Amino acid sequence: MDYIIYIVLAVLGVIFFVAQGFTKRRSRDRKSRKFMEDYKREDRNKSKDQT
């Protein structure tokens, strides 16, 4: 019964590190060129002339 607090803290630590890994991977994927390869930017000057 004395070790329950350590077990709970260990489980929370593992969950924290797993969440950090997923967050870091998604951040790296967002920075890659694959993330924006289908993005088409509109010409800003063209859209200003139409209004």
Side-chain angles (χ1 to χ4, degrees):
M1 286 294 216
D2 294 335
Y3 296 110
I4 291 176
I5 188 71
Y6 296 114
I7 294 170
V8 170
L9 289 175
V11 169
L12 289 175
V14 168
I15 291 171
F16 174 76
F17 286 119
V18 168
Q20 287 288 6
F22 281 120
T23 304
K24 192 172 284 190
R25 185 183 315 153
R26 286 194 178 163
S27 175
R28 191 171 48 229
D29 289 345
R30 255 184 277 138
K31 290 179 183 176
S32 73
R33 289 202 175 267
K34 273 195 320 188
F35 177 72
M36 297 293 282
E37 77 181 5
D38 291 334
Y39 178 74
K40 303 274 193 263
R41 174 179 271 185
E42 292 183 17
D43 187 11
R44 289 185 181 183
N45 294 329
K46 185 177 180 182
S47 62
K48 283 183 183 177
D49 292 338
Q50 290 178 354
T51 54

